[in-house]
Amino acid sequence: MPDHPSQETRGHLKTWSERLNWCPERNFSLKMVVFVVAELVLVPLAMCKVTLQKCPIRDPLPILHKYYKSGDLLIAGIMSQIYLAINPMTFENPPSEELFDDLFYFDPSRTYLASMKLLSTQGRLIPNYKSGTQNHPVSVIIGPNWYVCLYAAAILYFHKIPQISYGSAPNMDNKKQSVFFHHTFPNQAHQTMGILRMLLHFRWTWIGVILLSDEIGESFLQDMLPLLSQNGICIDFIEMMPAITFSNELDNTMAEGVETYKVIMGSTAKVLVLHGEIQTMLILRVFLQLPELEDIPINATGKIWILTAQMDFTSLPSHRNWDISFIHGAISLASHSVELSGFQKFLQEKNLNSEKEDGFIRDFWQQAFLCSFSDSTVEEKDGEICTGEEKLEDLPPSVFETTTTANSYSIYNGVYAVAHALQAMQSSRLKSTATGHGGQWNHPDQEWWQLHHFLRNVSFNNSAGESISFDQNGEIVTEFDIVNWVTFPNQSFLRVKVGKTDSKAPRDKMITIHDNTIVWPTMFNQVQPLSVCNEKCPAGYSKRKKEGKPFCCYDCFACPPGKISNELDMNKCSQCPEGQYPNKDQTLCLPKEISFLSYGEPLGMSLATVALSFSFITALVLRIFVKHQDTPIVKANNRDLTYTLLISLLLSFLSALLFIGQPEKVTCLLRQTAFGIIFSEAVSCVLAKTVIVVLAFMATKPGSRMRTWVGKKMSISIVLSCSLLQATICTVWLATSPPFPAFDMHSMTDKILIECNEGSVTMFYCVLSFLGFLAIISFTMAFFARKLPDSFNEAKFITFSMLVFCSVWVSFVPTYLSTKGKSMVAVEIFSILASSAGLLGCIFSPKCYIILLRPELNKRGHLIKTKN
């Protein structure tokens, strides 16, 4: 197999061997810390046909890139950084170098191979055999993918070698393997909670979730789904990133990718949570180029990508000129990092001549600087020859970042954690295990698994001044940075730290984000976008779930009468407190006005004026009758009853004033009872007049005994008995359930009615019923007496007056029951005034006419003559 693959080496263009070799701190008592990097490439194991013949033994294909430096102690590294190509395997031919001509991802067999290489004699793959103890690694740095950690652990566990992962941790069923694992990557549960709090911070409730179809992706989804649901966040879709497979399956992959693209980019969700690994950025970049490769009839909407901390900016050489604006405005979590002093200088001094033993840097150099070496089998790129003196600082960030990234910082801390643990281990055994020999360690019987204890308890400050330590689970005590990606037209980008997480803080305060420093994607006009299933329901509306849709999708309905919603997206409308009512838009509660029939308003003023006017008229009529009391017409109509009736009508008109003004305790007690007694007296006077008229005519018949009944005693007894009976009813009313002032909060939407509660409605209608009973008797007797001689006949006027009276009060009952508030009071006042005016006008207007305008008719002779 050639030293270099036949196709372009692809991957994250960072040389981990470079960074591991950089050790600015030289303050250990150890002479040297040595690193071994075994780069992962795909190498299938020996294959043979299934026959009865004995299979020949073949060595596996070599690891293409590795770096070794001899020293006292070895800190090894197994790191996946290179993508190679491979043909479809038909198992018809043994593995050979012709296999390398197609894309393929990291493979378990290569991880196992690299792990076993670490445990073998240098240059030979003989598992579990070493010619000496010098080459045994004291610890292994593994990453960045979880499955690299998982596969390596299966081999390294048997040798109890401490392992430090700088990427996402695998889910290990074998708890014994996890004992020897340490992580410089923060806890995954903390990352899941950080993403949730970030979504809640920006109020994004409608999202899409994209992940790789692997164990960690499924674990992330299982942890995330209940958290999202519990916090009111809905998922529009869950899609798997299309896997890159052999070229003979490319058509199927493209078809799946197109369908996935339609779902993702056609979704109304503007926020997409992408959970992946370091290579996911490669897949994403190809995925977003699908519209240029395939005819996809869909209008993609603007999206904001939320990236997990495992992802990083990676690219293939063929992607060098691809647009990177898709990541502009994206927000990601990143393992906390700071810029390390001396790192820039280290990179500036890095060149090919300084690392002749590092085979990886040669391939990297050609791809990064688009050049080739004169002795290279790779075709020259643009005709340029690599000099080896090119400067890494001249490369754009999309090719090589010269800042300390999260992965670099995690590796740095992992290496120095091992070094500090070794120093602690040396100090603890200095007297019993350390020897002179030029200051070198020489421990052929050293049990390096004991380093695990010192790693768990290591604590130090790195060159950036930050404290580094592990918790009881072997996880580094650190947080996540919240990073905003900002791209520029020249294909460069910045990772701007806009916040951080704090796992020790309460959940609602676990993240800190500086919103004003965030740069949002251009398509959102540099303002924070909303990502909701539908627009928020405005104030005055409430939400109602759409059938068959997630709970984040709902319709908006106006609040029912009497209720409000004063915020956006209210689940239900609320009732206004007592004494308040909704405004027109039903967005807030307003204090209700106090309402009663007052003298100051037009209606109250009009009714009071009418009442006083009729009172004045009644008093004037009374004065006329008193002045002409000796005239025949006054005498003939029973002066005492006439005076009593006029006084009763005067009081009836005045009693209407008790109903106007703010109800008080006294007025509530008096107004209905006073009205009932006064009106009973007035109607009983009319009844007495009717009875006297009838008896008077009956007494004129020869031999009639009715003479004894005609006189003042009869009229007085009728008036007193009727008035006393009504007074008794009113007394019982006041004694048992008297009227009282009350506040009616509900009859009117915008007003509080102050009214007199009748106490006992039954007693109120008993009063009215008794009045009606008297009126009906009076009307009946007057009706039958209507044919008496005209000159003496007052019955016709009484009949008409009682007809008016009954009509008013019969219409009063339904009208009274159908009105509320001051209108109800006005109806009763009107009924009092109308019925009283009917009695006054019908009974006394003919007599006043004769007294004032036709005095010649006010003669005894004229009154006693009979009709021919």
Side-chain angles (χ1 to χ4, degrees), residues 554-566:
Y554 47 81
D555 292 317
C556 299
F557 289 88
C559 290
K563 294 188 176 183
I564 67 159
S565 62
N566 54 5

Side-chain angles (χ1 to χ4, degrees), residues 672-674 676-678 680-681 719-737 762-764 766-768 770 774:
Q672 297 291 7
T673 54
I677 294 173
I678 292 170
S680 296
E681 186 176 357
V719 172
L720 287 178
S721 60
C722 292
S723 299
L724 287 175
L725 185 57
Q726 183 72 294
T728 302
I729 296 174
C730 291
T731 302
V732 173
W733 184 7
L734 295 177
T736 56
S737 182
T762 302
M763 298 304 296
F764 171 66
C766 285
V767 171
L768 293 181
F770 184 72
L774 293 179

